[in-house]
Amino acid sequence: MDESGGSGQPRSGTEEPASHHATPTAPSANPASQEPSDPSPAPEAATPHKDEDPHPRTPADTPPPGEQPPAAGDRPLARSGAAKPPKPPKPPAPRGGLLMGRPFGVPVYVAPSWFLVAALITWVFGGQLDRVLPELGAARYLVSLFFAVAFYASVLVHELAHTVAALRFKLPVRRIQLQFFGGVSEIEKESDTPGREFVLAFVGPLLSLVLAGVFYGAMQAVEPGTVPGVLLAGLMISNLIVAAFNLLPGLPLDGGRMLRAVVWKITGKPMSGTVAAAWVGRALAVSVLIGLPLLTQSGALGSNAEDNVGMDTVMDALLAAILAAIIWTGAGNSLRMARLREHLPELRARSLTRRAVPVEGDTPLSEALRRANAAGARALVVVDADGTPLSLVRETAIVGVPEHRRPWVAVSGLAQDLTEGMRVSAELAGEELLEALRAAPATEYLVVEETGEIYGVLSAADVERAFVKAMARPS
């Protein structure tokens, strides 16, 4: 999922997978492996399997005389009761504060942190107005509040430029959020060509420059030194700063996405572009941390160097530290998300699925485990008399039953009923697999073939372990 960070630059943000950006629950963006204990003869921790590489047999109880244990490679041919697994419902978009509207069908939220920055802008700009228009008195804060709202309206236009471009390229946009340091456009997919990536990043600063030009033109029609003149001048300068800042060539800024597109075009490798732009972004963060206070102290930004003492110096250093931290963190997140996208295709439901044995609900747990061990299986599916799956026996529930009690406990008492979201296709892989698991958080899922035949059981813990293992491998 691409996102737009700061004042609108597309970035790889959540969630998560997405993260969204937002952290998945099963598996999470920073998954933690949950290893259950390994009692005997309960199903062991899952080892991913493939059709061409069946599970090795595990030690099993001696079968009764005359009973032939099934071959390890034979899958039970129970049916799932449907020709195809139902498509999992799309997870609800995360809320990001107060919903303001849905331009182009994309929800726009105002985060609670916006009210803090609006109050800060009102206070700071009010102090400026007191020197320029002292006759306003206390009314200057009302004018300052109007400026804060108008400025963030400009930021919204910046974000809408990214959104319209993304929709034009058939890239879904989850939401727009206005927050403390600008806006975020959460674009769920990455551009498929460097040219589209460049355009998607450039339209935001371009619209900010256009707005600055519009405000400059409007200034010519009003008297300087008046409330409209001061407001228009402030909005013109603010949009110029937003455009210039976002054009800096480092992730997660728009200029960094443009640099990424250029390197991607030259090398033919999107990952190379991400690495180059991310490291430039980190260098930019260090430059902001050191350079911004020095420029302010030297008077190079237009202020009197003798006046930049005391609290002003502290505020300048704090602002530089916050901006540097945002840029550094954003660059690191872009690198991590690029690595995630590179390794996501390695997560395949078919290869991570545990072999399963179908059993009826009144089967004793000890007998069900004996059948599973004999078949080299690692999971149990409760079925009815017709072979239609009804529920999944939870591994954690098996662990909690002492061995001497297992002959007296029916598997139906340890099972979780199947819901629509707990049936997933064996063909799912990568981001589609993660989206299906996020839509219906659970510990186990029934994996079925396109024909409706049961393929096995997918454990969320297995997906998390595979996710961590894939992310640990170098790109």
Side-chain angles (χ1 to χ4, degrees):
M1 170 175 71
D2 290 344
E3 295 178 352
S4 206
S7 299
Q9 66 284 355
R11 63 181 170 85
S12 299
T14 30
E15 346 0 48
E16 154 20 46
S19 174
H20 265 206
H21 126 190
T23 49
T25 53
S28 63
N30 186 16
S33 189
Q34 301 176 356
E35 298 282 353
S37 57
D38 188 22
S40 175
E44 302 171 2
T47 302
H49 76 271
K50 298 182 181 179
D51 284 341
E52 66 274 14
D53 184 20
H55 285 296
R57 293 179 182 271
T58 56
D61 298 333
T62 303
E67 180 176 341
Q68 180 65 28
D74 295 338
R75 292 192 176 277
L77 298 179
R79 309 286 293 183
S80 72
K84 291 186 179 181
K87 186 176 181 180
K90 188 174 182 179
R95 296 184 62 85
L98 182 63
L99 178 63
M100 301 302 294
R102 294 179 178 272
F104 306 101
V106 177
V108 176
Y109 293 98
V110 174
S113 61
W114 177 86
F115 296 96
L116 177 61
V117 75
L120 181 62
I121 292 175
T122 300
W123 175 60
V124 172
F125 195 67
Q128 300 292 331
L129 284 177
D130 191 36
R131 290 192 288 269
V132 178
L133 298 170
E135 65 274 12
L136 286 178
R140 68 182 183 274
Y141 292 109
L142 185 60
V143 177
S144 299
L145 179 60
F146 178 83
F147 170 78
V149 173
F151 169 67
Y152 266 83
S154 301
V155 173
L156 177 58
V157 171
H158 180 118
E159 297 301 326
L160 286 174
H162 290 301
T163 296
V164 171
L167 295 177
R168 176 69 178 80
F169 294 146
K170 309 299 184 184
L171 301 176
V173 181
R174 178 173 297 178
R175 66 175 178 173
I176 297 174
Q177 185 184 51
L178 300 180
Q179 49 189 232
F180 191 89
F181 271 99
V184 176
S185 299
E186 296 186 5
I187 302 171
E188 296 186 3
K189 293 184 179 180
E190 194 173 61
S191 301
D192 52 3
T193 66
R196 289 186 173 186
E197 173 82 349
F198 189 93
V199 171
L200 187 59
F202 181 61
V203 290
L206 177 62
L207 259 291
S208 293
L209 289 173
V210 170
L211 284 177
V214 170
F215 290 130
Y216 176 78
M219 284 174 55
Q220 311 309 310
V222 301
E223 290 289 331
T226 62
V227 171
V230 172
L231 284 175
L232 290 170
L235 290 171
M236 179 196 70
I237 294 172
S238 298
N239 278 276
L240 283 175
I241 292 174
V242 168
F245 182 73
N246 275 277
L247 285 172
L248 293 175
L251 286 172
L253 304 174
D254 289 331
R257 306 298 299 192
M258 294 161 64
L259 174 61
R260 175 182 183 269
V262 171
V263 177
W264 178 4
K265 180 67 174 179
I266 294 173
T267 64
K269 299 177 181 178
M271 187 64 184
S272 298
T274 301
V275 171
W279 279 105
V280 172
R282 287 174 169 175
L284 181 62
V286 175
S287 300
V288 169
L289 179 63
I290 299 173
L292 185 59
L294 292 178
L295 289 174
T296 304
Q297 285 296 308
S298 66
L301 298 181
S303 59
N304 192 335
E306 286 76 11
D307 295 335
N308 295 321
V309 294
M311 186 56 68
D312 288 342
T313 301
V314 174
M315 291 298 293
D316 291 338
L318 180 61
L319 177 62
I322 293 174
L323 288 176
I326 290 173
I327 296 173
W328 183 279
T329 303
N333 287 340
S334 297
L335 271 177
R336 283 189 290 273
M337 288 305 299
R339 289 180 55 224
L340 170 62
R341 280 199 176 92
E342 190 174 50
H343 292 301
L344 265 183
E346 300 174 18
L347 299 179
R348 297 182 177 88
R350 187 175 295 278
S351 62
L352 293 172
T353 297
R354 302 178 178 192
R355 189 180 307 281
V357 167
V359 293
E360 294 191 5
D362 58 355
T363 305
L365 177 59
S366 59
E367 170 61 16
L369 292 178
R370 187 197 65 77
R371 296 181 192 176
N373 287 334
R378 303 294 190 275
L380 300 172
V381 179
V382 178
V383 299
D384 62 14
D386 298 325
T388 301
L390 303 176
S391 55
L392 302 178
V393 180
R394 294 168 296 153
E395 184 177 19
T396 54
I398 296 175
V399 171
V401 179
E403 187 172 352
H404 69 275
R405 290 269 304 151
R406 291 174 181 175
W408 314 104
V409 176
V411 293
S412 59
L414 308 175
Q416 180 180 6
D417 291 340
L418 285 170
T419 62
E420 289 300 318
M422 291 174 62
R423 300 172 187 260
V424 299
S425 169
E427 303 303 322
L428 289 181
E431 197 164 351
E432 289 184 353
L433 175 60
L434 296 185
E435 286 292 337
L437 303 192
R438 289 194 202 106
T443 55
E444 287 95 10
Y445 299 84
L446 180 68
V447 181
V448 296
E449 297 280 12
E450 292 296 319
T451 59
E453 178 186 340
I454 293 176
Y455 185 77
V457 172
L458 177 66
S459 168
D462 294 343
V463 178
E464 291 177 357
R465 282 189 286 270
F467 182 89
V468 172
K469 185 177 179 181
M471 290 296 291
R473 284 196 293 271
S475 300

